[in-house]
């Protein structure tokens, strides 16, 4: 008895779950219930005498064909949405009537394992615009089907119109707004071909931004207008992998502030038949990129700068993350993209040619063109910058003064990376101890507000004393300010200014002169202002540069006599430094003392020779000369000089006597 009761309950549940009711409302067949069938509609039309020449046929594979020549409504206001369901999967449906209304759900086909199955065809003909209509909560879903609508399809509030893997020919599209305002509805096309309409293929057309449009891998072809935009303020549908083939116009702008985004379309230029400055159309492509070093290791904090073919900034100084990924890219519906083009109104320009540029503190700059016309995933390889001295950019940014070429280059590179705008070359470059300012002005300021500043034409560094050479173009200048000193040569608009540093460790005031070796003319001299021990200064190299070079001479300030020191300054060197100058033509007390010692030894040896010859008795050698100056590094003294002369005379006398003895 219990088994019978259970069986009855199950049967009642099945009947209830798949119930169907057919009534007539002013010549329209109204179908309700979750089990609406095509056979039920066919039989209800005939039994109620609605329309004529209805047709039903079973084809091979149990697929059926139905032709209904009467107005049909699925569901009603009181019983709509999923409460009234017509599943016409694996069937060919044609409705030839003045109206076809959906308050409930119409389903054709299904999804199995991600693929469409059990599709068929569904066409509505003989209707005026908007007579094929989805009312509140109405649903139309088709999978793997062929669809046709002779006139525009209208969608009201809270509706869903969805096609997957369909071939769809909608004359003038599916619209959310054309004189009315629908809300919270969705129109989506996935892997669908929309084709051959004399008006619009797909309407992206709504009165407000509560509605949703979705396109994925959909092809629009053979239509007068592929898409119609507009009317909803801030309406931003995202359409993915769209193809447009053989359409007279890609878009027709309407009104409002629509912003339509095409992700990875097969076009880069849009054709429009009219202008509406409020409508914006964006073309973007899926894009991911990593910035790596030569060892394929990720580079963090590399600056990235992208512009399109019209120099519009696409990516502005965004930095890579710890994995080397480029950040700051736009995201459309969860997909990272590189925006390729933005069109306002009907100004349509092909902007597929981009330039991508990268700057990293420890690496060389890189900039190259590329074409954005497809999805891209790539690695960017940057080579190492061998001119960097301090490996930590954080430390470089803490410098309070720039006193050396190493600090100068490192800080300029850090500044460039922090303020990168796609430059293809560094602000300055470095060669050993020389900075090339690349045509920029350079100011060395002891009281500058910041250690490094650059305004596009002038570089200012803070230093009390800057050591190193600097060159720039003949139209720029290199100057010091507020007591700053430059200890290095420089080349600018004034010419080639060579820096000379000499140290001869002598308290005597001496004159430093620079001589043109081509004609022995004086270039410049300390003259009436002689210097002691150390000389630091500049001289301007003559133009043209002397073939035989320039000599530097150190001499007594009084004219006459050979120079105490002389050297040729290499033409290629901006700085000439000698910190151990030997004044070769100047006697010193140390040398005189050594000479006195040697003369004494010679005199003793001479006496020994005489004694061995037994010519005369031995005469003791006596040196009574007094040495008064004990500073061995000081200048020679008169007393020493006179003692040396007396010793030489005595030595000559002894040698002469020995010679006479040998003759005898």
């Amino acid at each position: 008895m219990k088994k019978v009761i259970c069986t009855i309950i199950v049967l009642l549940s099945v009947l209830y779950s798949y119930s169907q009711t057919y009534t007539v409302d002013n010549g329209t067949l109204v179908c309700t219930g979750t089990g609406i069938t095509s056979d039920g509609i066919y039989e209800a039309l005939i039994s109620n005498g609605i329309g004529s020449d209805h047709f039903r046929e079973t084809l091979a594979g149990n697929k059926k064909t139905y032709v209904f020549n009467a107005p049909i409504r699925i569901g009603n206001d009181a019983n709509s949405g999923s409460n009234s369901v017509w599943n016409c999967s694996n069937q060919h449906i044609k409705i030839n009537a003045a109206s076809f209304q959906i308050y409930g759900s119409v389903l054709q086909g299904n999804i199995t394992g991600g693929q469409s199955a059990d599709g068929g065809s569904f066409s509505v003909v003989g209707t005026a615009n908007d007579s094929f209509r989805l009312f509140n909560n109405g649903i139309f879903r088709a999978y793997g089907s062929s669809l046709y609508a002779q006139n525009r399809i209208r969608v009201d509030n809270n509706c869903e119109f969805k096609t997957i893997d369909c071939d769809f020919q909608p004359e003038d599209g599916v619209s959310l707004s054309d004189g009315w305002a629908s809300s919270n509805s969705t129109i989506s096309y996935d892997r669908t071909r929309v084709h051959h309409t004399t008006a619009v293929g797909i309407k992206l057309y709504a009165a407000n931004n509560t509605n949703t449009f979705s396109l994925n891998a959909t092809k629009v072809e053979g239509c007068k207008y592929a898409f119609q935009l507009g009317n909803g303020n801030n309406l931003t549908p995202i359409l993915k992998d769209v193809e447009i083939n053989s359409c007279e116009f890609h878009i027709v702008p309407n009104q409002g502030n629509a912003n339509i985004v095409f992700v990875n379309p097969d076009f880069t230029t849009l054709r429009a038949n009219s202008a509406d400055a409020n409508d914006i159309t964006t073309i973007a492509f899926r894009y991911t990129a990593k910035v790596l070093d030569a060892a394929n290791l990720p580079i963090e904090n590399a600056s990235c700068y992208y512009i399109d073919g019209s120099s519009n900034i696409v990516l502005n100084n965004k930095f890579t993350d710890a994995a080397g990924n480029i950040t700051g890219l736009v995201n459309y519906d969860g997909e990272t993209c590189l925006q390729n083009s933005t069109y306002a109104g009907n100004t349509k320009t092909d902007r597929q040619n981009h330039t991508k540029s990268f700057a990293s503190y420890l690496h060389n700059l890189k900039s190259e063109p590329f074409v954005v016309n497809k999805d891209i995933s790539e690695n960017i390889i940057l080579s190492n910058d061998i001119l960097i001295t301090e490996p930590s950019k954080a430390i470089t940014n803490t410098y309070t003064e720039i006193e050396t070429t190493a600090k100068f280059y490192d800080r300029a590179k850090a500044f460039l990376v922090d303020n990168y705008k796609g430059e293809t070359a560094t602000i300055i470059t470095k060669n050993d101890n020389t900075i090339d300012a690349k045509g920029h002005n350079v100011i060395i300021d002891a009281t500058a507000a910041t250690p490094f500043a650059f305004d596009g034409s002038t570089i200012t560094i803070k230093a009390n004393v800057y050591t190193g050479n600097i060159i720039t173009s003949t139209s720029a200048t290199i100057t010091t300010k507020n007591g700053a000193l430059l200890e290095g040569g420089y080349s600018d608009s004034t010419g080639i200014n060579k820096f000379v540093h000499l140290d001869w460790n002598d308290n005597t005031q001496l004159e430093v002169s620079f001589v043109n070796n081509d004609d022995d003319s004086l270039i410049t001299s300390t003259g009436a202002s002689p210097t002691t021990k150390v000389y630091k200064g500049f001289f301007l190299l003559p133009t043209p540069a002397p073939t035989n070079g320039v000599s530097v001479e150190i001499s007594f300030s009084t004219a006459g006599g050979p120079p105490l020191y002389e050297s040729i300054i290499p033409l290629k060197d901006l700085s000439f430094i000698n910190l151990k100058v030997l004044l070769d033509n100047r006697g010193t007390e140390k040398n005189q003392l050594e000479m006195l010692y040697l003369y004494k030894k010679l005199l003793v040896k001479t006496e020994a020779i005489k004694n061995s010859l037994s010519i005369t008795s031995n005469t003791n050698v006596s040196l009574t000369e007094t040495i008064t100056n004990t500073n061995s590094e000081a200048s020679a003294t008169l007393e020493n000089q006179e003692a040396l002369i007396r010793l030489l005379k005595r030595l000559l006398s002894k040698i002469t006597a020995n010679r006479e003895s040998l003759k005898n």
Side-chain angles (χ1 to χ4, degrees):
M1 184 67 178
K2 290 182 179 180
K3 184 181 294 185
V4 173
I5 293 174
C6 290
T7 301
I8 294 173
I9 291 174
V10 170
L11 289 173
L12 289 174
S13 298
V14 171
L15 290 173
Y16 177 78
S17 299
Y18 296 100
S19 63
Q20 51 184 311
T21 302
Y22 304 97
T23 59
V24 179
D25 182 11
N26 293 323
T28 296
L29 180 67
V30 179
C31 313
T32 58
T34 57
I36 301 171
T37 65
S38 300
D39 284 334
I41 293 174
Y42 177 81
E43 292 166 0
L45 288 172
I46 292 176
S47 63
N48 286 285
I50 305 173
S52 61
D53 299 324
H54 307 299
F55 178 79
R56 176 172 61 180
E57 181 181 10
T58 301
L59 305 175
N62 203 32
K63 189 179 288 286
K64 293 184 177 181
T65 298
Y66 298 88
V67 177
F68 303 133
N69 296 313
I72 296 174
R73 181 190 304 161
I74 305 299
N76 54 51
D77 279 332
N79 188 17
S80 58
S82 59
N83 294 320
S84 294
V85 179
W86 175 19
N87 190 330
C88 50
S89 299
N90 206 32
Q91 298 174 7
H92 298 294
I93 307 295
K94 180 178 180 180
I95 299 173
N96 186 1
S99 67
F100 174 58
Q101 303 171 345
I102 301 175
Y103 286 92
S105 301
V106 175
L107 309 177
Q108 186 172 66
N110 55 68
I111 293 290
T112 301
Q115 300 297 318
S116 297
D118 299 325
S121 65
F122 201 101
S123 62
V124 179
V125 298
T127 58
N129 276 344
D130 308 325
S131 295
F132 183 170
R133 179 172 175 181
L134 277 67
F135 287 83
N136 291 355
N137 298 302
I139 297 171
F140 182 89
R141 297 176 186 156
Y143 307 93
S145 298
S146 177
L147 311 175
Y148 174 77
Q150 187 176 11
N151 292 286
R152 183 178 62 209
I153 301 172
R154 174 178 170 179
V155 176
D156 284 1
N157 300 322
N158 304 303
C159 295
E160 178 187 346
F161 187 94
K162 182 175 186 177
T163 68
I164 297 179
D165 297 319
C166 289
D167 186 279
F168 187 19
Q169 188 177 356
E171 192 58 59
D172 205 22
V174 181
S175 180
L176 285 165
S177 177
D178 208 329
W180 68 93
S182 299
S183 301
N184 300 309
S185 290
T186 299
I187 298 176
S188 64
Y189 302 84
D190 194 345
R191 305 193 299 265
T192 293
R193 174 177 175 250
V194 179
H195 63 97
H196 294 95
T197 70
T198 59
V200 176
I202 296 177
K203 285 181 174 286
L204 308 171
Y205 194 51
N208 59 70
N209 61 358
T210 65
N211 300 285
T212 301
F213 294 97
S214 175
L215 267 75
N216 180 47
T218 291
K219 180 185 295 184
V220 185
E221 61 182 18
C223 302
K224 182 172 184 179
Y225 306 102
F227 297 95
Q228 183 178 20
L229 313 181
N231 208 40
N233 290 339
N234 302 313
L235 181 66
T236 56
I238 297 172
L239 318 178
K240 300 179 181 180
D241 301 291
V242 172
E243 298 181 34
I244 297 179
N245 295 325
S246 303
C247 293
E248 184 176 352
F249 297 103
H250 291 166
I251 60 173
V252 50
N254 262 35
Q255 55 187 339
N257 295 314
N259 183 4
I260 312 302
V261 178
F262 291 98
V263 175
N264 192 35
D266 70 336
F267 53 84
T268 54
T269 302
L270 285 172
R271 295 193 305 273
N273 75 324
S274 61
D276 189 322
N278 293 319
D279 282 329
I280 300 173
T281 306
T282 298
I283 297 175
F285 292 90
R286 298 178 188 91
Y287 183 81
T288 58
K290 286 179 176 289
V291 180
L292 309 175
D293 65 15
N296 287 321
L297 297 176
I299 299 175
E300 186 176 8
N301 292 324
S303 179
C304 311
Y305 187 84
Y306 285 52
I307 59 173
D308 65 19
S310 296
S311 298
N312 297 307
I313 298 173
V314 177
L315 196 63
N316 187 4
N317 198 21
K318 299 298 181 181
F319 294 93
T320 53
D321 61 18
N325 296 307
I326 294 177
T327 63
L329 295 167
V330 292
N331 190 291
Y332 294 118
D333 196 22
E335 297 192 275
T336 300
C337 296
L338 185 67
Q339 184 172 306
N340 184 32
S341 308
T342 297
Y343 302 108
N346 66 347
T347 303
K348 310 304 177 192
T349 305
D350 188 339
R351 299 179 184 175
Q352 63 176 325
N353 297 313
H354 280 53
T355 300
K356 55 185 177 183
S357 303
F358 307 90
S360 169
Y361 175 69
L362 290 175
H363 304 87
N364 291 315
L365 305 181
K366 187 169 189 176
S367 184
E368 58 188 12
F370 73 115
V371 175
V372 183
N373 57 10
K374 61 180 180 180
D375 290 347
I376 297 174
S377 180
E378 63 178 348
N379 292 332
I380 311 297
I381 307 298
L382 302 185
S383 59
N384 293 334
D385 186 349
I386 62 174
L387 300 182
I388 288 291
T389 302
E390 170 52 59
S392 171
K393 179 172 174 287
I395 292 176
T396 298
N397 283 335
T398 63
Y399 289 160
T400 58
E401 288 193 15
I402 309 297
E403 313 100 319
T404 64
T405 55
K407 284 188 173 183
F408 198 167
Y409 181 82
D410 291 356
R411 189 63 184 86
K413 183 67 176 298
F415 178 91
L416 177 65
V417 173
D418 289 340
N419 300 275
Y420 191 57
K421 292 294 182 290
E423 291 84 357
T424 58
T426 53
I427 301 171
I428 61 174
T429 190
K430 182 181 69 169
N431 183 10
D432 293 331
N433 199 36
T434 299
I435 289 293
D436 184 348
K438 294 186 174 181
H440 303 121
N441 301 311
V442 178
I443 299 174
I444 305 171
D445 187 349
T447 61
T450 60
F452 181 93
F454 178 57
D455 63 6
S457 61
T458 299
I459 303 167
T460 301
I461 61 172
K462 183 178 182 180
N464 289 304
V465 178
Y466 176 83
T467 303
N469 306 316
I470 304 175
I471 62 174
T472 189
S473 68
T474 56
S475 60
T477 60
I478 298 170
T479 56
T480 57
K481 188 176 179 182
N482 294 321
L485 297 177
L486 170 59
E487 293 194 355
Y490 65 97
S491 174
D492 64 359
S493 61
T494 64
I496 299 175
N497 296 268
K498 289 181 176 286
F499 173 73
V500 177
H501 180 185
L502 304 174
D503 188 343
W504 53 86
N505 197 21
D506 192 304
N507 290 322
T508 304
Q509 289 188 330
L510 300 175
E511 180 178 346
V512 179
S513 303
F514 300 95
V515 178
N516 185 333
N517 290 336
D518 284 358
D519 56 12
D520 292 328
S521 61
L522 182 66
I523 297 173
T524 187
S525 170
T526 57
S529 302
T531 184
T532 301
K533 280 194 174 184
V534 176
Y535 171 82
K536 290 182 181 180
F538 297 88
F539 73 89
L540 182 63
L541 186 69
T543 304
T547 304
N548 297 309
V550 173
S551 291
V552 57
E553 297 180 356
I554 301 176
S555 60
F556 289 111
S557 57
T558 57
L564 303 176
Y565 169 81
E566 182 178 15
S567 181
I568 295 178
I569 298 176
L571 287 177
K572 65 182 182 64
D573 295 341
L574 279 172
S575 293
F576 181 79
I577 299 174
N578 187 347
L579 304 183
K580 293 184 178 180
V581 172
L582 295 177
L583 301 178
D584 297 330
N585 294 321
R586 174 83 179 269
T588 66
E589 183 189 15
K590 180 179 180 181
N591 291 340
Q592 289 181 336
L593 290 174
E594 187 172 354
M595 290 170 69
L596 283 169
Y597 173 77
L598 291 173
Y599 289 155
K600 175 183 176 181
K601 297 292 287 184
L602 282 171
L603 189 58
V604 170
K605 294 296 183 182
T606 302
E607 281 296 321
I609 293 171
K610 181 181 177 182
N611 292 336
S612 64
L613 291 174
S614 300
I615 297 173
T616 62
S617 60
N618 184 33
T619 301
N620 292 329
V621 178
S622 176
L623 293 177
T624 59
E625 288 75 13
T626 302
I627 308 302
T628 59
N629 192 341
T630 59
N631 184 358
S632 63
E633 297 299 330
S635 301
T637 65
L638 179 60
E639 292 85 351
N640 291 347
Q641 203 78 20
E642 291 174 345
L644 286 169
I645 293 173
R646 289 194 296 271
L647 278 174
L648 285 172
K649 287 179 179 179
R650 291 182 62 186
L651 183 60
L652 179 60
S653 176
K654 295 294 183 182
I655 292 174
T656 301
N658 288 340
R659 179 174 177 274
E660 291 300 323
S661 296
L662 288 172
K663 283 182 179 182
N664 296 327

